Amino acid sequence: MHCPNCSALSRDGARFCSRCGTALPRAAEQSARTSPQFCDLCGLPLPSSGDHFCEASESSRAAEPALLESERKEVTVVFADISESTKLISGLDPEAAWALLDPILRVMNDAVTAYGGTVVQIRGDGIMALIGAPLAQEGHAARGCCAAVRMRQLVDRLFDSERSASERRIRIHIGIATGEALVGTIGSDLNFSYNAVGEVLHIAARLQSLAPTCSG
């Protein structure tokens, strides 16, 4: 279409005239035949070098999450976290807090991967894991239960009688649920991650919040 101000033709999808920067009344239907002088997404003048970072283009892409290569699968979801972690690290400097929490997160991860699962999120004091996706696993529900038992055993071994009394009081909550979910790569141009969407995730998270603490 023609710009209402200078009559220049604008390309498909343009929101601003590339010659004068005037806002277009609707998406352009034809390609521009003139040398662009203004960005047709944000309306700012284009530098002579041709290098132009368009915030309008970047922000619109970042604001639109995508679920790519997704598929419906029956999976087992495992949520686990450290009970009263805020109280546990209260008064500790960041390095000391990390030294206390990191080994626990590591053994949580080890317990899941030992049964073919994948940790898809680490949430500061806990994890979310999938068993049955992205790698298909037979008996993924039983594997999830075995991973939970293994997790408890590894945490017990981690904080044995040689540790301080406060460390031996560490407890974990675990929630497990099996059901259908949409799994795939979720994210924007700047950040992609494998994840899942579905009611089963909320059920597992709810069970975790209601679960009694586990410890040796």
Side-chain angles (χ1 to χ4, degrees):
M1 71 173 293
H2 291 278
C3 171
N5 181 55
C6 68
S7 300
L9 287 173
S10 297
R11 68 173 179 81
D12 292 347
R15 292 184 291 180
F16 293 87
C17 176
S18 60
R19 174 180 288 178
C20 69
T22 299
L24 300 174
R26 59 187 177 86
E29 298 175 345
Q30 303 182 44
S31 298
R33 298 175 183 173
T34 58
S35 176
Q37 300 175 25
F38 292 83
C39 176
D40 55 18
L41 290 177
C42 66
L44 295 177
L46 293 174
S48 58
S49 64
D51 297 327
H52 173 61
F53 175 79
C54 179
E55 293 185 356
S57 175
E58 294 299 321
S59 62
S60 64
R61 283 201 298 265
E64 298 176 356
L67 183 59
L68 307 177
E69 300 178 359
S70 61
E71 59 178 332
R72 298 174 72 97
K73 296 185 71 173
E74 186 177 85
V75 298
T76 294
V77 183
V78 179
F79 278 89
D81 73 349
I82 304 166
S83 176
E84 299 183 338
S85 60
T86 302
K87 180 179 179 181
L88 186 67
I89 64 174
S90 178
L92 299 180
D93 62 44
E95 289 79 9
W98 180 249
L100 180 59
L101 299 182
D102 182 56
I104 307 174
L105 296 175
R106 287 179 180 273
V107 299
M108 287 180 174
N109 180 80
D110 292 344
V112 169
T113 56
Y115 289 92
T118 301
V119 174
V120 294
Q121 290 184 26
I122 297 178
R123 302 182 173 185
D125 66 347
I127 65 167
M128 169 191 156
L130 298 176
I131 303 179
L135 300 176
Q137 297 283 355
E138 292 185 4
H140 51 78
R143 288 172 178 266
C145 294
C146 291
V149 173
R150 179 65 172 167
M151 199 178 296
R152 174 176 173 172
Q153 293 172 341
L154 291 176
V155 170
D156 289 346
R157 293 179 187 176
L158 190 63
F159 297 101
D160 56 24
S161 59
E162 296 180 0
R163 297 299 184 104
S164 68
S166 62
E167 289 179 333
R168 293 199 300 273
R169 289 198 299 269
I170 288 177
R171 306 289 187 267
I172 61 175
H173 296 100
I174 304 172
I176 308 168
T178 297
E180 191 174 59
L182 190 65
V183 296
T185 305
I186 299 175
S188 66
D189 286 351
L190 303 178
N191 182 26
F192 287 100
S193 62
Y194 191 85
N195 216 321
V197 176
E199 184 182 19
V200 64
L201 278 75
H202 299 276
I203 294 174
R206 180 60 175 164
L207 290 173
Q208 178 204 33
S209 68
L210 296 174
T213 55
C214 299
S215 68

